[in-house]
Amino acid sequence: MRRRLARGGLWLWVGIVLAFLFGPIIVIVLFSFDKVNIETLPIRHWTLSWYSVAWHDEQVRQAFVLSIKAACAATLLALILGSLAAFGVHRARFFGRDTISLLLVLPIALPGIITGVALNSTFQWAGIDLSIWTIIIGHTTFCIVVVYNNVIARLRRTSGTLFEASSDLGASTAQTFRFITLPLIATALVSGGLLAFALSFDEVIVTTFTAGAQNTLPIWIFGAIRLGQQLPEVNVVVTGVVVLMFIPIMIAARLTGRDTIAPRSRQQVLN
Amino acid sequence: MDPDNGVTTLDRAENGGTTSLRSSLGQRWATAFLLAPPLLWFLVLYVSSLVVMLITSLWSVNSFTQTIDHHVTGSNFQQIAMGTYPSIIGRTVLLAALVTVIDAVVAFPFAYLMARIATQRAQRFLLAAILLPLWASYLAKIFAWVSILEKGGALDWSFRHLGLPSPNLGFTNGAVLITFCYIWLPYMIVPLFGALERIPSSLLDASSDLGAGSWWTLRHVILPLALPGLVAGSIFTFSLTLGDYVTPLLVGGSNSTLIGNAIYDNLITGGNLPLAAALSAVPIVIMVVYLLIAKRLGAFNAL
């Protein structure tokens, strides 16, 4: 009896926490259809007009394009550097591998603002003008670890006998990579890339310090909320970002199971 | 942690005889070639940037020319030790600690049910359910709380309909606390779930077979084994709060300045990069101390 009561209590708690987690997201989605430009309940008139306003807003469009460009470039760089690091650390049998893992995770273990100020100091010191390239450098730095975690987790779970068999049967290193390694890690690469893309697309803390005069979409949203202007439009844009980010996340989750999606990966590195 | 602890068949094979036919020197070169590009990226762009930042923190801004004066001085750190900065730092650490404790308390029963009570289907559902709030846009979540907490917002409206007085939380430190707890909660649930899930059921059976009650088992078996997950989650909640300036700026009031805001203001609006750099050293020191304490508690050994 007491056991059943305890379980009932736990399920109740889970229900409350889920309501707490989902409530605010539901609120912004609902408000994005509100005709009035002040957010008050109850919503009396429903409209899609703010979607049209946001869609035709040149500033939003430019910010969106910049965000997509930066996220694509950062994802590509993170895919290359992160998987190289994973292959290297996986092969390496020396005491430095823990240090390398720690180094890669540092940009997300330390507050993001540190990365931002550090890069900003360096760009100012070296006389480098802030541009899309400096944004990409910042994003790549914290995206590498996502790809790295995905790929190394897959490599660890893959039996080495497959590679041995391949080379015993006379395959060259390139052939083994093309026909054995690549198919085995393909989904880990895709999922790592999607997560890196989502992380970059949504980033504001580091970006503020590495972006010049151009706005990424998160910087535009941040500025608009801060000034309290165009709030109905902000509502539509953030709803769009939530939906847009959720697609790659769900695909990534499907591809690799839950291991690689969550911050749990950080523990693996801190070990 | 992976059960194989990183020692895979491939590694063993390489250590053993299979690869001795190939030159081990060549293997080492190949490894070095693989590691060189990512390491170069990190050393040139990240580590050296941290060094440049710390050097910058020893410079100052010439008050006449508004340019950076490259003479080494400790004046930035003197400035941080005085005035409003100690109270800003204290407020930030207190808030980060509060957020961490609240999220741990809220997350634990959730993660426990997910890991040990829910059926496989329910567990899959809950894991998927946690993904949306975990990965929903950061600014979307903050904006949601701006509109919920502001005067006449969703919270005021619900309270009025329940016949309660308005909570008046908009643009206060309370609003900042709630928003932080909300945003980082999934980051606490996931690692905690991972740790709880890995506890072997046999240990819990043994504990109850030996006559321990549920509370005793919880306190002396489950909690110590869940500690690594708790620490991993707390690194997120603590570190993310420590460096945040967006949340206090958007949902907080005039009294909500955190270290992140001080850094942001000095760099972006004040144009005082050296002081911002010096302030950035504060979260680094706090996080290093935090990680050392966690390590001392043995939190990483059991991961």
Side-chain angles (χ1 to χ4, degrees):
Chain A
M1 182 63 204
R2 254 186 72 195
R3 213 184 166 79
R4 270 175 90 182
L5 215 73
R7 282 186 179 207
L10 277 177
W11 274 110
L12 184 69
W13 185 251
V14 166
I16 295 170
V17 172
L18 281 180
F20 174 65
L21 285 173
F22 278 85
I25 297 171
I26 294 168
V27 165
I28 45 160
V29 174
L30 286 181
F31 272 136
S32 72
F33 300 105
D34 188 359
K35 190 167 182 161
V36 191
N37 61 2
I38 309 159
E39 286 155 332
T40 44
L41 283 170
I43 298 170
R44 290 179 207 284
H45 303 283
W46 301 82
T47 176
L48 281 170
S49 63
W50 295 117
Y51 279 82
S52 158
V53 171
W55 181 256
H56 291 106
D57 187 326
E58 202 48 47
Q59 275 190 329
V60 173
R61 280 182 170 222
Q62 279 173 6
F64 177 77
V65 169
L66 182 67
S67 280
I68 293 282
K69 276 187 193 163
C72 285
T75 304
L76 189 69
L77 281 168
L79 275 172
I80 296 167
L81 295 170
S83 42
L84 282 177
F87 278 112
V89 168
H90 185 65
R91 292 167 61 109
R93 300 259 85 222
F94 58 96
F95 66 96
R97 56 192 276 170
D98 289 341
T99 317
I100 296 175
S101 299
L102 185 72
L103 191 63
L104 296 182
V105 85
L106 217 52
I108 57 169
L110 289 177
I113 196 168
I114 307 288
T115 311
V117 177
L119 287 174
N120 188 288
S121 306
T122 305
F123 295 146
Q124 286 206 26
W125 173 74
I128 298 168
D129 288 329
L130 301 181
S131 65
I132 182 171
W133 297 106
T134 51
I135 299 176
I136 293 168
I137 289 174
H139 285 199
T140 305
T141 304
F142 61 74
C143 284
I144 288 174
V145 67
V146 183
V147 176
Y148 168 82
N149 278 338
N150 270 268
V151 175
I152 202 156
R154 178 64 55 86
L155 287 174
R156 281 178 180 158
R157 259 182 276 137
T158 307
S159 165
T161 49
L162 289 171
F163 307 110
E164 278 171 46
S166 171
S167 73
D168 286 353
L169 292 169
S172 66
T173 315
Q175 282 172 324
T176 304
F177 182 79
R178 168 69 187 82
F179 294 108
I180 309 292
T181 317
L182 209 55
L184 279 172
I185 64 160
T187 52
L189 277 179
V190 173
S191 127
L194 287 169
L195 294 180
F197 185 90
L199 207 61
S200 163
F201 186 69
D202 189 43
E203 217 288 332
V204 65
I205 302 258
V206 179
T207 318
T208 307
F209 298 99
T210 54
Q214 291 170 297
N215 281 343
T216 62
L217 199 57
I219 291 189
W220 180 86
I221 298 169
F222 176 40
I225 303 175
R226 211 179 150 192
L227 298 171
Q229 284 169 354
Q230 301 166 288
L231 290 185
E233 226 183 305
V234 170
N235 219 320
V236 168
V237 174
V238 293
T239 306
V241 173
V242 169
V243 174
L244 213 73
M245 277 180 69
F246 202 56
I247 298 165
I249 298 309
M250 280 328 254
I251 299 173
R254 276 234 110 101
L255 285 178
T256 55
R258 60 159 202 267
D259 282 1
T260 38
I261 204 116
R264 199 177 142 190
S265 43
R266 179 177 285 190
Q267 310 171 41
Q268 298 177 349
V269 181
L270 285 172
N271 186 359
Chain B
M1 190 69 224
D2 279 6
D4 57 21
N5 262 325
V7 184
T8 63
T9 340
L10 179 62
D11 294 328
R12 270 185 237 117
E14 279 181 357
N15 278 345
T18 332
T19 48
S20 59
L21 289 172
R22 283 184 257 157
S23 102
S24 79
L25 198 69
Q27 288 287 308
R28 242 178 250 181
W29 272 109
T31 307
F33 270 117
L34 289 170
L35 286 174
L39 278 184
L40 268 178
W41 179 281
F42 266 82
L43 292 177
V44 173
L45 289 167
Y46 187 67
V47 178
S48 63
S49 286
L50 287 175
V51 174
V52 171
M53 180 183 84
L54 292 177
I55 295 172
T56 306
S57 73
L58 297 171
W59 293 338
S60 60
V61 170
N62 187 309
S63 48
F64 295 109
T65 57
Q66 292 300 316
T67 52
I68 292 178
D69 189 342
H70 292 197
H71 288 284
V72 172
T73 161
S75 66
N76 294 317
F77 290 97
Q78 270 171 4
Q79 210 174 327
I80 292 173
M82 294 181 311
T84 51
Y85 290 118
S87 72
I88 290 174
I89 293 166
R91 179 187 302 135
T92 310
V93 173
L94 181 72
L95 194 69
L98 264 175
V99 170
T100 302
V101 171
I102 293 173
D103 274 349
V105 172
V106 174
F108 191 88
F110 191 101
Y112 183 81
L113 180 133
M114 225 164 121
R116 314 231 45 119
I117 294 177
T119 59
Q120 276 231 303
R121 256 185 74 193
Q123 192 186 66
R124 261 209 303 277
F125 167 78
L126 287 172
L127 269 167
I130 221 73
L131 277 185
L132 177 65
L134 178 73
W135 281 94
S137 156
Y138 164 78
L139 282 162
K141 289 185 266 192
I142 295 177
F143 184 61
W145 283 97
V146 173
S147 36
I148 290 170
L149 294 172
E150 72 187 346
K151 222 175 176 61
L155 192 74
D156 269 7
W157 182 80
S158 335
F159 269 57
R160 206 173 51 240
H161 280 257
L162 292 168
L164 297 164
S166 161
N168 260 334
L169 269 169
F171 310 110
T172 62
N173 284 336
V176 178
L177 180 67
I178 293 175
T179 310
F180 274 137
C181 286
Y182 174 79
I183 306 178
W184 312 139
L185 181 60
Y187 292 78
M188 181 64 94
I189 293 177
V190 177
L192 207 50
F193 162 74
L196 286 167
E197 198 199 20
R198 269 167 288 160
I199 300 176
S201 305
S202 54
L203 285 182
L204 307 186
D205 295 340
S207 175
S208 78
D209 286 352
L210 292 168
S214 337
W215 280 115
W216 202 94
T217 305
L218 182 69
R219 167 79 188 77
H220 295 276
V221 182
I222 297 173
L223 268 182
L225 288 170
L227 191 68
L230 208 62
V231 171
S234 78
I235 292 169
F236 278 100
T237 55
F238 201 82
S239 162
L240 289 167
T241 310
L242 218 50
D244 201 304
Y245 54 87
V246 175
T247 307
L249 203 60
L250 297 184
V251 302
S254 54
N255 206 6
S256 307
T257 310
L258 302 185
I259 300 177
N261 299 100
I263 296 170
Y264 176 86
D265 289 344
N266 274 306
L267 208 164
I268 303 287
T269 21
N272 192 341
L273 177 63
L275 185 56
L279 280 164
S280 301
V282 177
I284 297 183
V285 172
I286 296 172
M287 275 320 289
V288 168
V289 172
Y290 192 84
L291 291 174
L292 285 177
I293 293 173
K295 197 162 182 137
R296 225 309 120 111
L297 289 171
F300 298 140
N301 303 337
L303 280 179

